[in-house]
Structures are given as structure tokens and as C-alpha cells.
Amino acid sequence: MKLLNSLILLVLTCLISSTQTQYISIQNYQFGGNCKSFNNGSSSASTATCVQDDLLSGQVTIEGFCLLFNEDISTLTISPNSNSIIQSIYAPTDYNCKGDIIKEKDHEIGQCLSHCVDENHGKVYSLSTQPSISFPLNTFVEVFYSGECKGDWKNNFNYLDYFVINKCNVAYAFESLTYTFNCNSTSSWISEFNDDNCINKSGIQIDPLANSCSNGSNNKNHLDICNV
């Protein structure tokens, strides 16, 4: 009888472990390569080396959530054998990922890859899975979730972006060349620079830490966290 109970307990434990939620993590690192071969808006990924000290930012998301990854509107799912992340790419205007899948890419979990954004800029990234929602220390974090506003965001989690404090990032969406993130208990701020090494400051943008509800144009609640 004891043996039967032990076997039942073992089976239940295995079932619970196999159905636990797994989150997908994207880590972005400092790029030191050359993108001169970037051609006609296309670039294939190549292997690189990811050094923890070069971590700039990252994302954590649930499987199947529609987001922008490597300049493509995509969903990410874990492969059946749990060895890779499958990126399903949608049309550039399919912001909710409701249409047909245009292409799929397979990213090996833990592999460090280099990808050119344009002929002057590139990124180094790695994908992994994690059993819980977590992010590094010394980061500014933007959390997006559904459900009740200002409620338990971890139970209605969609995704988060984090940015390592005081790390020099190449600007894609800013007018300056480079920028850094910083924050405290009440505010976050982006410092903009007009050089490649974040030395000559050209401006600063300061915002209060957000704790806002969804509205007609945005169905996601937003929470900022200063994790320092």
C-alpha cells in the first residue's frame, strides 16, 4: 500500500512539474561587431559571445504574447522538446498577431547570437526560459499586465522590459546617438548623449514612475519598478 501511494505521489509530482508555467526571457548585450555587410534590409543572425557585464536590457514574456522581437511583430513559444524558442513572424501591420504566420524561426535556448539592425547598428541577444517572473538588480523595469488595474500583476502578467542602470545604449528611437536609464523611488529618467560613449549629454527626460490603468487605445495596465 505504501508503495502504491508513493507511486501515485510521484506521478502527481511529475504532472504538476510538466504543467508549471514557463516564461520566456530575452537578454540584450553590448554589440561590438561590424554590420557593413547588411544588405537591402536583411541580415541573418550569427553566433556571438554573451558576457554578463555587457548586459544592457531584456524582456520577460509569456508564451504566445504578441510583441516586437528583432524588428518583427512576433509571438514566442517553447518547442515541444524545450530545446528552443520558436519565433512566429506576422505581417508588419498585424499588431495583435491575429493573421497568418509569414515565417517561423527557431532559436536555440542559451545560444548567443548577433543580429544587424542596419548597416551601422547591431545587437547581441540570447533567449532562455525561467520558471518565475524575475529580473536583474540595478534595473529600471516596465511591467505590462491585463486584468484588474493595480491588482496582483503577477497573476495577469503579459510582459516586462528592463534596462540596466547607467549602461550606454545605442539609440534607435531617440534623436540622440546614445542614452542611459536611471531611476529612484519616485521617478525614472533617460539621459541622451550626442556621442558614441555617453559622455557629452545633450538632454534629459524625466518621468514619474507609472502605475496606470488601460484605456481605449491601450488594453494593458502599466507599472514601473526601480529595482536598485
Side-chain angles (χ1 to χ4, degrees), residues 34-44 116-120:
N34 189 313
C35 287
K36 297 303 181 184
S37 60
F38 184 84
N39 185 28
N40 295 327
S42 64
S43 171
S44 58
C116 286
V117 177
D118 55 39
E119 63 181 13
N120 297 311

Side-chain angles (χ1 to χ4, degrees), residues 32-100:
N34 189 313
C35 287
K36 297 303 181 184
S37 60
F38 184 84
N39 185 28
N40 295 327
S42 64
S43 171
S44 58
S46 58
T47 56
T49 301
C50 290
V51 180
Q52 192 61 30
D53 286 345
D54 291 336
L55 181 67
L56 297 177
S57 62
Q59 286 181 300
V60 179
T61 184
I62 56 175
E63 286 192 85
F65 189 79
C66 193
L67 47 73
L68 188 68
F69 175 62
N70 281 355
E71 294 70 61
D72 291 312
I73 294 176
S74 309
T75 59
L76 302 175
T77 54
I78 303 169
S79 66
N81 61 12
S82 299
N83 290 333
S84 63
I85 303 296
I86 301 169
Q87 178 189 6
S88 300
I89 299 173
Y90 295 80
T93 56
D94 189 0
Y95 301 113
N96 296 311
C97 300
K98 298 296 185 183
D100 294 333

Side-chain angles (χ1 to χ4, degrees), residues 35-216:
C35 287
K36 297 303 181 184
S37 60
F38 184 84
N39 185 28
N40 295 327
S42 64
S43 171
S44 58
S46 58
T47 56
T49 301
C50 290
V51 180
Q52 192 61 30
D53 286 345
D54 291 336
L55 181 67
L56 297 177
S57 62
Q59 286 181 300
V60 179
T61 184
I62 56 175
E63 286 192 85
F65 189 79
C66 193
L67 47 73
L68 188 68
F69 175 62
N70 281 355
E71 294 70 61
D72 291 312
I73 294 176
S74 309
T75 59
L76 302 175
T77 54
I78 303 169
S79 66
N81 61 12
S82 299
N83 290 333
S84 63
I85 303 296
I86 301 169
Q87 178 189 6
S88 300
I89 299 173
Y90 295 80
T93 56
D94 189 0
Y95 301 113
N96 296 311
C97 300
K98 298 296 185 183
D100 294 333
I101 296 172
I102 296 175
K103 182 168 47 174
E104 287 190 337
K105 293 182 180 180
D106 198 74
H107 302 271
E108 182 181 338
I109 288 177
Q111 185 177 34
C112 190
L113 295 170
S114 176
H115 167 77
C116 286
V117 177
D118 55 39
E119 63 181 13
N120 297 311
H121 304 107
K123 60 172 65 174
V124 174
Y125 65 95
S126 179
L127 289 93
S128 60
T129 60
Q130 55 189 60
S132 61
I133 303 169
S134 62
F135 36 84
L137 289 172
N138 296 316
T139 52
F140 167 63
V141 187
E142 295 181 306
V143 178
F144 299 92
Y145 63 102
S146 55
E148 181 184 357
C149 184
K150 302 182 182 179
D152 187 355
W153 61 267
K154 289 189 175 182
N155 285 334
N156 296 285
F157 176 75
N158 291 328
Y159 73 99
L160 64 81
D161 295 309
Y162 65 81
F163 306 90
V164 179
I165 297 301
N166 285 329
K167 282 294 185 78
C168 189
N169 291 265
V170 174
Y172 303 119
F174 298 91
E175 292 182 1
S176 61
L177 292 175
T178 50
Y179 64 96
T180 61
F181 276 92
N182 214 320
C183 64
N184 58 27
S185 60
T186 60
S187 304
S188 67
W189 59 95
I190 300 172
S191 299
E192 302 175 8
F193 302 84
N194 56 12
D195 62 275
D196 292 336
N197 300 307
C198 294
I199 296 174
N200 300 315
K201 186 180 291 187
S202 59
I204 188 169
Q205 176 183 325
I206 303 174
D207 293 297
L209 295 184
N211 190 3
S212 58
C213 302
S214 62
N215 54 47

